[in-house]
Amino acid sequence: ATMALAVATATAPTNIAVVKYWGKRDAKLNLPVNSSLSVTLHQDDLRTVTSVAASTAYEADRVWLNGEEQDVASNKRLQAVFREMRARAGDRVDPATGEVVIAKADWPQYRLHVVSE
């Protein structure tokens, strides 16, 4: 069976890099060129909330960042993210029944709408 609309929402805390990572001085030993320092804020103070809705009824992939729609058609990086999201998506299972509502093989038929604030 297919599902007309599937939605998932996640939150993530904000992380601020104070001293950034600049690469590896020794890749074999996995040692950085310099130390890095960052601060992660509590989600009560500042966070990102991202929701993804998937539907076969959507005509195109779309993205809104902080209320402003982004141009997916001319953004190769966003297009790559959408391709990767579909490639990584597995079966979506109804937790109440155990029924597969979207099979992994069906994800290429779905268009995604992403809203992040």
Side-chain angles (χ1 to χ4, degrees):
T2 58
M3 182 184 239
L5 181 69
V7 180
T9 298
T11 67
T14 299
N15 182 276
I16 301 169
V18 180
V19 177
K20 290 192 86 146
Y21 170 80
W22 285 96
K24 297 186 187 300
R25 70 181 145 116
D26 187 326
K28 189 173 184 181
L29 295 176
N30 198 28
L31 298 175
V33 169
N34 60 294
S35 297
S36 61
L37 176 66
S38 66
V39 176
T40 300
L41 302 179
H42 193 282
Q43 289 202 40
D44 288 347
D45 299 320
L46 192 59
R47 67 181 178 171
T48 299
V49 179
T50 302
S51 295
V52 179
S55 177
T56 55
Y58 293 157
E59 294 182 15
D61 293 327
R62 297 173 74 185
V63 177
W64 293 265
L65 299 177
N66 298 320
E68 183 177 321
E69 187 167 6
Q70 306 299 301
D71 182 5
V72 175
S74 67
N75 188 320
K76 299 292 185 199
R77 188 172 180 186
L78 281 176
Q79 292 171 22
V81 169
F82 280 112
R83 276 194 307 275
E84 191 64 24
M85 287 170 66
R86 285 188 194 87
R88 290 178 180 236
D91 290 344
R92 180 160 174 122
V93 177
D94 182 327
T97 65
E99 176 189 5
V100 174
V101 292
I102 302 175
K104 177 174 179 51
D106 293 337
W107 280 108
Q109 301 168 34
Y110 282 75
R111 294 296 149 259
L112 307 174
H113 287 185
V114 179
V115 178
S116 189
E117 297 183 340

